Amino acid sequence: MKILRTVKEIQAYAKAMKAAGKTIGLVPTMGALHEGHLTLMRAAREKCDIVIASVFVNPTQFGPNEDYAAYPRRFEADCEKLATVPVDAVFHPEPAEMYPDGYCTYVNVEGDITKKLCGAQRPGHFRGVATVVTKLMNLSRADEAFFGQKDAQQVVVIRRFVEDLNLNVHINMVPIVREENGLARSSRNQYLSAAEKEAATVLSRSLRRAAATYARGEHDVEKLKLIVTDTLETEPLASIDYVDLFSFPDLQPLQRVEQQSLLAIAVRIGETRLIDNVILGGEAM
Ligand code: PAF
């Protein structure tokens, strides 16, 4: 597995792979890799000749009071996991390589898809994500890029700018990977104490209850949201950031679920903010 640390190195690698006629799959990550990331890597491995993973904790997508400094950084352990897939190359730049002095260009997805759900709570977050993902796609010359459904709004935003900017990359959304107790895999789960980890299972439980009620024929949005809220409120360590339900993938408000929809939640367990979701009304692609 090649380790690429500079813009020049990844550009040269991608150029050589393209010249050899290879298709390139990109899996952008911020490291602290878990089974969810490895599932993305395996999806890329199946579809593409060459798999490039990026491990970069992107400063521009964190707000001033968020966990940029504390975000787990475990590059050696990450490399060991990536080698098991196996991945062909990992891009691991320093922040100054991606954002050198004088850097002043950003990709800003306007419109309401970046203003709701996590966008309402984390101003500037999707601008940072769109900027770094555009740079990573450009550097890696990716034909395919892979993202997890846990960040479903992120996928919606990425698909939007890929279409708007006519980028020639296909965006793959891979289903959520969960622990046995239902907790969605996340690098931030590492912040949780044992008691908090147990408490955090309330997120997936609340979504499962709503999904089961929907499957039994309840399509009223407010009633489905109430099932989630009521379940979350049974957990003393949980405090709700949002419980919302929108059409998917256009994220428009609904009164009834008569089409594919995203039921999404953000919940603080102690100090740790976790997100989870379920897609109602058919398989998402
Ligand atoms: O989902 C993430 O881990 C990040 O938002 C991403 C896509 C790697 C961009 O920094």
Side-chain angles (χ1 to χ4, degrees):
M1 188 173 72
K2 277 204 173 321
I3 296 181
L4 312 168
R5 293 181 188 271
T6 65
V7 162
K8 280 209 162 71
E9 282 169 4
I10 187 172
Q11 282 174 331
Y13 181 77
K15 188 176 177 188
M17 292 306 125
K18 281 286 166 197
K22 308 285 188 195
T23 57
I24 298 179
L26 169 71
V27 187
T29 81
M30 297 205 301
L33 301 180
H34 50 68
E35 198 46 40
H37 295 115
L38 297 182
T39 304
L40 299 178
M41 305 292 164
R42 286 184 207 112
R45 181 78 282 163
E46 260 188 29
K47 207 167 176 182
C48 305
D49 299 329
I50 294 294
V51 179
I52 303 180
S54 63
V55 172
F56 178 60
V57 184
N58 173 37
T60 62
Q61 70 188 75
F62 288 79
N65 299 319
E66 294 183 355
D67 55 346
Y68 174 67
Y71 200 85
R73 288 160 172 87
R74 318 231 153 98
F75 186 59
E76 268 180 33
D78 288 345
C79 284
E80 280 169 24
K81 290 179 186 166
L82 291 173
T84 66
V85 174
V87 160
D88 299 290
V90 53
F91 180 50
H92 182 52
E94 289 297 323
E97 186 69 18
M98 294 295 272
Y99 303 108
D101 279 351
Y103 188 92
C104 57
T105 303
Y106 293 87
V107 177
N108 196 25
V109 178
E110 298 179 4
D112 64 357
I113 58 169
T114 54
K115 308 230 161 51
K116 47 189 65 168
L117 300 169
C118 289
Q121 316 248 322
R122 305 184 69 189
H125 171 69
F126 287 116
R127 174 180 181 262
V129 169
T131 301
V132 80
V133 172
T134 303
K135 284 167 71 73
L136 292 167
M137 285 172 173
N138 194 30
L139 287 167
S140 64
R141 298 178 62 174
D143 301 286
E144 305 276 340
F146 297 78
F147 300 88
Q149 184 198 313
K150 188 170 78 63
D151 299 297
Q153 186 181 16
Q154 172 170 278
V155 176
V156 169
V157 171
I158 291 169
R159 284 186 170 153
R160 182 76 257 163
F161 74 73
V162 163
E163 189 176 333
D164 289 353
L165 299 178
N166 312 113
L167 304 183
N168 200 10
V169 187
H170 178 249
I171 304 302
N172 299 266
M173 185 172 83
V174 178
I176 298 176
V177 178
R178 298 181 181 280
E179 295 188 12
E180 261 175 38
N181 63 12
L183 180 62
R185 300 271 182 162
S186 163
S187 303
R188 291 192 168 98
N189 291 351
Q190 301 180 24
Y191 299 149
L192 302 170
S193 67
E196 287 173 339
K197 234 180 177 177
E198 180 58 38
T201 60
V202 76
L203 277 83
S204 58
R205 241 184 3 263
S206 71
L207 293 173
R208 265 206 314 279
R209 275 194 63 197
T213 309
Y214 166 76
R216 285 197 297 273
E218 178 59 81
H219 288 199
D220 184 277
V221 165
E222 286 312 314
K223 287 188 182 148
L224 292 168
K225 279 165 59 176
L226 198 60
I227 290 168
V228 177
T229 311
D230 283 351
T231 310
L232 292 171
E233 283 175 350
T234 61
E235 174 48 62
L237 294 182
S239 89
I240 300 174
D241 263 11
Y242 65 71
V243 171
D244 244 321
L245 203 163
F246 292 111
S247 62
F248 187 83
D250 49 348
L251 301 186
Q252 291 311 299
L254 296 170
Q255 289 182 334
R256 291 183 58 76
V257 183
E258 307 293 6
Q259 63 193 97
Q260 194 174 74
S261 308
L262 178 73
L263 175 54
I265 60 179
V267 178
R268 280 174 206 277
I269 302 288
E271 296 289 296
T272 306
R273 183 176 181 279
L274 299 175
I275 58 173
D276 199 350
N277 68 69
V278 63
I279 289 173
L280 303 175
E283 283 293 296
M285 296 297 288

